[in-house]
Amino acid sequence: MKDWNVVVTIAENGFKQAFSLLSHYDHVAKTPFRNVLTLKVENTETFLKSFLQDMQKDPAYRRVFCRVIPCTHCFFFQTLSAFEEKAKQCIQSFLPQLAHRSFHVRMHRRGFYGTIKSQDEAGLLGDYLNEQLRSQGAEGKVTFDDPDVILDVEIVAQQAGFSLWTREQRNCYPFLKLG
């Protein structure tokens, strides 16, 4: 599996069209998971804006793509403990953006069935995040009802991607589908 920084889920029977549409952004790759493609783009911010413009111009985008989510921090792992250790390192970089804000962690996992339980890991990472914020005197508030920020975790096989999304970004980019 190739290195990626964007995870794309596609509609049933939309594989060929999705692959074709994504090919003009950068390197698109198949995954071993049904209706999931990955993409490696040079700049996620540029990709977001370009994808939004293309989606507004071409109705096929709304038909073919279910969810498109860029990740700002990515890493490879082989065990649950390696995932948790690297995830906590990633979280450190997000602390300034989460200080004194409401948030929650959302995880989408493809692979590691029976080893990584999405809800358990999201809860563990949320607790760690809250603990780190509290230790800095910048406590946030965990909420699932329209939080200021969502920390999204994407796992595809042995690679994880993390990204942070504000309420404004979630409203601007409907294809993120974070709630």
Side-chain angles (χ1 to χ4, degrees):
M1 188 142 165
K2 304 233 179 197
D3 187 22
W4 51 261
N5 60 359
V6 180
V7 178
V8 180
T9 55
I10 55 177
E12 209 51 52
N13 301 316
F15 184 86
K16 284 183 183 178
Q17 190 173 18
F19 201 92
S20 174
L21 291 169
L22 290 173
S23 293
H24 84 272
Y25 295 105
D26 232 323
H27 182 75
V28 61
K30 299 176 186 177
T31 73
F33 305 99
R34 182 179 174 93
N35 295 329
V36 178
L37 295 171
T38 57
L39 191 62
K40 179 68 174 180
V41 298
E42 192 170 315
N43 183 302
T44 56
E45 196 64 35
T46 301
F47 167 76
L48 276 169
K49 291 173 183 169
S50 178
F51 192 88
L52 180 62
Q53 288 174 345
D54 291 342
M55 187 177 103
Q56 291 167 338
K57 287 188 274 183
D58 187 347
Y61 277 69
R62 291 186 190 273
R63 231 181 12 263
V64 171
F65 298 108
C66 296
R67 187 166 180 270
V68 177
I69 189 135
C71 300
T72 55
H73 296 70
C74 297
F75 61 83
F76 288 94
F77 67 96
Q78 293 198 5
T79 64
L80 176 60
S81 61
F83 167 77
E84 290 174 350
E85 181 182 323
K86 291 178 179 184
K88 288 176 180 178
Q89 291 171 7
C90 274
I91 283 174
Q92 291 298 317
S93 67
F94 293 123
L95 292 176
Q97 296 163 280
L98 289 160
H100 306 291
R101 299 180 87 184
S102 62
F103 69 90
H104 72 258
V105 177
R106 179 157 297 183
M107 179 179 283
H108 296 91
R109 178 192 45 76
R110 297 141 194 107
F112 276 85
Y113 299 110
T115 303
I116 294 179
K117 295 181 175 128
S118 298
Q119 276 189 313
D120 293 348
E121 287 303 308
L124 176 96
L125 295 176
D127 291 345
Y128 177 78
L129 183 52
N130 222 7
E131 175 186 304
Q132 294 300 304
L133 289 169
R134 200 173 311 123
S135 74
Q136 295 178 7
E139 189 169 3
K141 177 185 174 199
V142 176
T143 183
F144 294 92
D145 185 29
D146 194 29
D148 297 325
V149 183
I150 294 176
L151 174 61
D152 182 66
V153 181
E154 299 292 323
I155 296 176
V156 180
Q158 294 177 321
Q159 186 175 346
F162 282 61
S163 54
L164 202 61
W165 301 100
T166 65
R167 181 182 297 114
E168 294 77 24
Q169 288 172 310
R170 295 188 316 265
N171 289 333
C172 181
Y173 303 115
F175 49 84
L176 297 172
K177 302 228 174 127
L178 288 168

